[in-house]
């Protein structure tokens, strides 16, 4: 893997650094965000290295569907009966800081709109 695609999330997938992992299957991994912005703040990532949503390709169709359905399942399991927010920050203007595609699942409080 090249240095440009290696991120802290790759290290979490390989268990080289610790994370509070809450779900894993053959395609995705979910863990608690280290700086939670809400009472529930889960990060859900594909194990495949895709730097940003903008880099996803048609062959990732099923993987992206699996990510969203897993986000729904994790939100249900976290008890977010009153709603939640799913966010994919993409690229510099999108505020993405870790260049490994990830889904934020936020809930447990009233979330504001629009975001900053
Ligand atoms: P983004 O700004 O969309 O790229 O989100 C990156 C997220 O990764 C931020 O919410 C960080 O708090 C979170 N984060 C960074 N490093 C870690 C880590 N080692 N474990 C868990 N979450 C992390």
């Amino acid at each position: 893997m090249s240095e440009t695609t290696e991120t802290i999330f790759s290290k979490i997938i390989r268990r080289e650094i610790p994370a509070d992992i809450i779900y894993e299957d053959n395609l995705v991994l979910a863990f608690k965000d280290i700086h939670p912005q809400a009472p529930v703040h889960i990060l859900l990532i594909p194990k495949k290295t895709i730097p940003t949503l903008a880099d996803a390709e048609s062959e990732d169709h099923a993987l992206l569907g699996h990510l969203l359905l897993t986000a729904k399942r994790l939100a249900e399991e976290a008890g977010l009966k009153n709603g939640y927010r799913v966010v994919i920050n993409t690229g510099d203007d999108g505020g993405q800081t870790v260049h490994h595609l990830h889904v934020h699942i936020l809930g447990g409080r009233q979330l504001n709109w629009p975001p900053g």
Side-chain angles (χ1 to χ4, degrees):
M1 190 178 295
S2 74
E3 287 183 7
T4 54
T5 58
E6 178 71 11
T7 69
I8 197 158
F9 291 173
S10 301
K11 291 183 168 63
I12 289 174
I13 292 168
R14 296 198 302 266
R15 307 299 204 272
E16 291 174 5
I17 62 168
D20 194 344
I21 293 170
I22 57 173
Y23 177 78
E24 179 173 26
D25 63 26
N26 59 330
L27 294 175
V28 303
L29 183 73
F31 48 93
K32 293 184 180 176
D33 196 292
I34 203 166
H35 296 282
Q37 301 301 312
V40 174
H41 189 171
I42 298 165
L43 295 176
L44 173 61
I45 66 174
K47 289 185 174 176
K48 176 181 177 182
T49 302
I50 302 172
T52 82
L53 182 61
D55 298 304
E57 298 178 340
S58 55
E59 69 182 29
D60 301 314
H61 179 98
L63 176 59
L64 296 182
H66 183 62
L67 271 177
L68 274 187
L69 287 171
T70 304
K72 170 197 149 175
R73 174 179 161 184
L74 293 176
E76 286 171 357
E77 290 177 0
L80 300 177
K81 292 186 173 62
N82 207 36
Y84 53 91
R85 185 170 293 165
V86 171
V87 174
I88 303 177
N89 295 327
T90 303
D92 290 341
D93 280 4
Q96 185 177 5
T97 59
V98 179
H99 287 182
H100 182 121
L101 173 63
H102 52 279
V103 176
H104 295 259
I105 304 159
L106 296 144
R109 67 170 172 84
Q110 178 65 59
L111 297 164
N112 300 317
W113 192 264

